[in-house]
Amino acid sequence: MNKINKIKLVFSITILVLVGSCTKDDNFKIPDTSISEPEIPQNQITTFKAIKSLYEQAVNGGNSTIVITDDVYLEGYVVSSDKSGNFFKELIIQNKIDDSNPDNDPRLGFKIDVNQSNLSDIYQFGQKVFIKLNGLTIGEMNGVITIGKGDAINVKQIQATEFKDIVIRSPEVLEIQPKIVSLEDVTEADENTFVQLENMQLNRFELGATFASESFDEFDGLRLLESCDSGIQVIMQTSTFSDFKSLLVPQGKGTVTGILSRDFRDEFNVILPLSSTGVNLDSTERCDPLEFSCGIAESYGSENLFFEDFESQRNNRLIEGNGWTNYIEVGTEGWEAWSSTSTNASLGRSARFQSASSGDIKNVGWLITPEINLDTQDGETLRFKTSNSRADSSFMEVLVSDDWDGTETNITLATWKILADGYVVKDSDSFVTWFNSGNVDLSCLSGTIHIAFKYTGGDKESFDGVYELDDVSIDYTN
C-alpha cells in the first residue's frame, strides 16, 4: 500500500455552498432554538464535489484513503434516521441543488461513520450540519464514500467522545424531498442520497415475505423489487434489527423511498427504507408478466430434440447457425461467443451478452431457438446454465412463445411468456458459479414453440452487467 497522500486544501475565495437534494427552500421545519448557528467562515466551507474529487485523485494515485489536513468544513443535510433501526451508527448527509443554477454540483451524498447509536435523537432528518474535516479520513466502505477517522488503508469510526465536535449542528431543518429517479438512470452520484422509485412492486416470487424476519435472513432481509415501467430490478435491504422486520412487504404497486446504497460486498445497488412508511406499495394492481409453468420434472428424457453448447461458435462474434435467431432490439450489441479461463470461466465456449463499452443508453438482445415441435414426442423438458458478472440492474429473462412466426419483424409483436420454473442466475448469486435451471417441464404445451433468452441492460455502471448462457438442451422420453 502506498503512503497516504497529505493534500493541502487552500481556498482563497469564498465558495458558495452547494449542498443538497431536491429540497424546497421555503419549506422549513421549526428550528431547534436551543442550538446556536455555528460561526464558520464561508471561505472554510468546501463542497461535496471537491471532496469526492480529492478522494478520486487519491485512488488514482494508488491509495485507498485520503486524510484532510486543513481547517475546512463540509455543509450538508442529514437524510438518514436510525429511529426504526434500519441504520446503525452512521449518518447519511447529502448536498443541495440550486435549480436556478445549472452549473451547480451534481447531487452527492456521503456516509459518516460514528460509534454512537440513537443518532436521530441528536440529528433530525433534514437538519443542516457542518462536518469539521481536519484530521478526518475519506475512503470507501461497502462501496460508498465514507468519512471517519482512519489510516492509509481503512476508514474507522468517529468515537462517541468527539463526534459532536466534528458533526456540528445548525438549528436549520429542511423538509427534504426525495429525488425521483429511474433505475436505468441511476449513477454513482445517486449513492448515499435520498431517492424515490416510482411504479415499483415486490417480485411475484417473493409475495408474502416479511421485510427481514424469514429463516434465511441472517443480518439483512434482501427483497427483490422491480419496475413496472422497465422491468429493471433492485434489492430492498432491511436490517434484521429494524422494528419493522416482521411486517409483510406490501404486495401491490407504488413507490419506495429511501437511501440508495450498495450491498455489503459492493456487488449490487440496494435501497434502504428509513421505515416501513417509505414503502408505499398500496395499489391493488400489479404488473406481473404473463407466465407459463408446467413445473419442474423429476428427470429429463434419454432422447434429445435440441442441444447447443456453443463450441462451434467463433469467439467474440455474434452467435449464429444451428437455427438461432440473434436479434438486436435496442442498441448495437448482441449475444456473442465467449471463452475464458479466468476466475469467472466459461464452460469451454459459452454465449455472453455484455453491454459495457457499447456506448448505448440501453441494450436489449434476444437469442431465440429454432422452432420446436412438441407434437411428435412426449415428456419434453428444457435445461440450461447461466452465470453473470455483477449484473446490478441489468437482467436476463427466459421466455416462450407459441405464436411467433419466425421473422425478426414480428418478435416484439408475438406473445411471449416468462418460463417461471427455469432458474436464472440472480445478481445476488456468486458471480463465479454456473447455475442449473432445473428440468423445466414443457410437456403441458403443444404445437410449435420458440424459447428466447432476453437480455436488458445498457452502457452505464449500474446497468452494464454481463450474463452468460450455456448447455441449452431440450430432451424427451420417446
Side-chain angles (χ1 to χ4, degrees):
M1 176 60 62
N2 295 335
K3 265 190 170 184
I4 188 166
N5 286 341
K6 303 280 189 175
I7 296 183
K8 184 78 172 175
L9 299 177
V10 179
F11 293 90
S12 59
I13 63 174
T14 298
I15 301 175
L16 294 178
V17 184
L18 306 176
V19 269
S21 72
C22 297
T23 61
K24 298 180 180 179
D25 291 336
D26 58 350
N27 198 0
F28 289 83
K29 294 181 181 178
I30 298 174
D32 188 342
T33 56
S34 66
I35 304 171
S36 300
E37 185 67 39
E39 297 180 2
I40 297 174
Q42 282 294 305
N43 62 358
Q44 289 184 273
I45 299 176
T46 185
T47 67
F48 280 69
K49 186 177 181 179
I51 295 303
K52 184 178 181 182
S53 177
L54 286 174
Y55 169 66
E56 290 173 344
Q57 289 175 32
V59 171
N60 292 336
N63 297 289
S64 60
T65 63
I66 183 171
V67 173
I68 305 300
T69 59
D70 284 86
D71 290 329
V72 291
Y73 295 80
L74 182 68
E75 181 179 348
Y77 292 85
V78 175
V79 291
S80 62
S81 173
D82 55 16
K83 283 185 177 179
S84 295
N86 206 28
F87 292 83
F88 183 65
K89 294 187 176 183
E90 62 182 351
L91 287 173
I92 308 298
I93 64 168
Q94 67 179 38
N95 61 357
K96 174 188 169 188
I97 293 174
D98 178 359
D99 294 329
S100 65
N101 183 356
D103 296 324
N104 261 347
D105 292 349
R107 171 193 179 96
L108 291 170
F110 298 143
K111 179 170 74 172
I112 313 298
D113 198 17
V114 182
N115 188 19
Q116 175 70 36
S117 58
N118 300 319
L119 287 169
S120 59
D121 292 343
I122 304 168
Y123 303 99
Q124 298 182 54
F125 182 87
Q127 186 155 31
K128 183 167 74 174
V129 294
F130 296 89
I131 311 300
K132 185 178 181 180
L133 293 175
N134 191 351
L136 296 187
T137 298
I138 315 297
E140 192 171 291
M141 292 179 62
N142 309 130
V144 295
I145 296 178
T146 303
I147 300 174
K149 290 301 183 81
D151 51 34
I153 300 175
N154 299 307
V155 180
K156 299 180 181 180
Q157 290 181 316
I158 299 169
Q159 294 304 308
T161 56
E162 58 184 344
F163 76 90
K164 289 183 181 179
D165 296 324
I166 293 173
V167 185
I168 303 168
R169 293 180 295 174
S170 162
E172 181 181 329
V173 180
L174 291 184
E175 292 281 359
I176 302 292
Q177 301 297 318
K179 178 183 178 183
I180 298 174
V181 297
S182 169
L183 284 175
E184 58 190 273
D185 295 328
V186 162
T187 69
E188 277 189 4
D190 295 302
E191 292 174 1
N192 279 331
T193 65
F194 188 53
V195 302
Q196 180 170 297
L197 306 176
E198 296 191 309
N199 209 18
M200 301 293 295
Q201 68 177 24
L202 184 67
N203 181 272
R204 61 196 180 281
F205 297 119
E206 301 208 50
L207 293 177
T210 59
F211 278 88
S213 64
E214 305 303 318
S215 60
F216 48 80
D217 294 329
E218 186 174 358
F219 299 107
D220 295 289
L222 303 178
R223 303 293 178 259
L224 187 62
L225 303 175
E226 58 194 9
S227 167
C228 289
D229 296 322
S230 64
I232 299 172
Q233 299 173 331
V234 70
I235 298 292
M236 178 175 65
Q237 180 174 311
T238 307
S239 170
T240 54
F241 293 97
S242 68
D243 64 10
F244 58 99
K245 66 178 182 179
S246 298
L247 298 178
L248 291 178
V249 180
Q251 301 183 31
K253 183 176 65 173
T255 62
V256 178
T257 304
I259 301 298
L260 188 75
S261 189
R262 299 285 290 175
D263 76 295
F264 180 77
R265 294 181 178 83
D266 187 24
E267 294 179 347
F268 49 86
N269 289 334
V270 297
I271 186 167
L272 292 86
L274 276 63
S275 69
S276 61
T277 60
V279 183
N280 296 303
L281 306 178
D282 300 327
S283 170
T284 56
E285 297 180 0
R286 286 182 56 86
C287 59
D288 295 323
L290 296 173
E291 289 187 2
F292 159 77
S293 175
C294 287
I296 293 291
E298 292 184 2
S299 61
Y300 57 90
S302 59
E303 304 295 326
N304 184 258
L305 192 59
F306 177 81
F307 180 76
E308 178 66 83
D309 61 5
F310 303 104
E311 295 301 321
S312 64
Q313 301 291 325
R314 300 174 63 187
N315 278 347
N316 304 314
R317 300 290 182 88
L318 291 174
I319 301 296
E320 60 183 7
N322 201 17
W324 288 108
T325 298
N326 195 344
Y327 175 59
I328 300 173
E329 179 185 347
V330 180
T332 59
E333 299 297 317
W335 285 90
E336 296 181 342
W338 166 70
S339 180
S340 173
T341 57
S342 64
T343 303
N344 188 25
S346 56
L347 301 177
R349 186 172 284 116
S350 306
R352 178 175 73 165
F353 202 111
Q354 177 175 286
S355 57
S357 302
S358 68
D360 299 320
I361 296 174
K362 191 171 185 178
N363 295 97
V364 180
W366 301 63
L367 189 62
I368 309 176
T369 66
E371 182 179 275
I372 306 297
N373 188 342
L374 300 178
D375 290 341
T376 57
Q377 64 282 312
D378 296 317
E380 299 93 347
T381 59
L382 167 70
R383 294 177 290 149
F384 56 88
K385 296 176 182 178
T386 55
S387 181
N388 70 11
S389 299
R390 291 182 170 87
D392 286 326
S393 294
S394 63
F395 61 99
M396 174 182 159
E397 300 167 292
V398 184
L399 311 166
V400 61
S401 175
D402 60 5
D403 66 357
W404 179 49
D405 63 6
T407 65
E408 289 191 358
T409 303
N410 290 328
I411 288 176
T412 58
L413 300 177
T415 302
W416 295 92
K417 298 180 181 180
I418 298 285
L419 271 177
D421 301 311
Y423 188 83
V424 177
V425 61
K426 296 180 180 179
D427 193 33
S428 55
D429 289 327
S430 168
F431 73 92
V432 175
T433 307
W434 283 83
F435 291 85
N436 292 311
S437 64
N439 300 317
V440 182
D441 194 348
L442 303 176
S443 62
C444 64
L445 281 172
S446 61
T448 58
I449 65 168
H450 293 83
I451 294 170
F453 301 89
K454 181 184 176 183
Y455 171 95
T456 301
D459 187 15
K460 188 178 292 182
E461 187 173 359
S462 63
F463 202 31
D464 64 357
V466 178
Y467 276 87
E468 294 100 11
L469 170 70
D470 212 340
D471 293 348
V472 180
S473 185
I474 299 176
D475 305 291
Y476 63 97
T477 54
N478 67 329

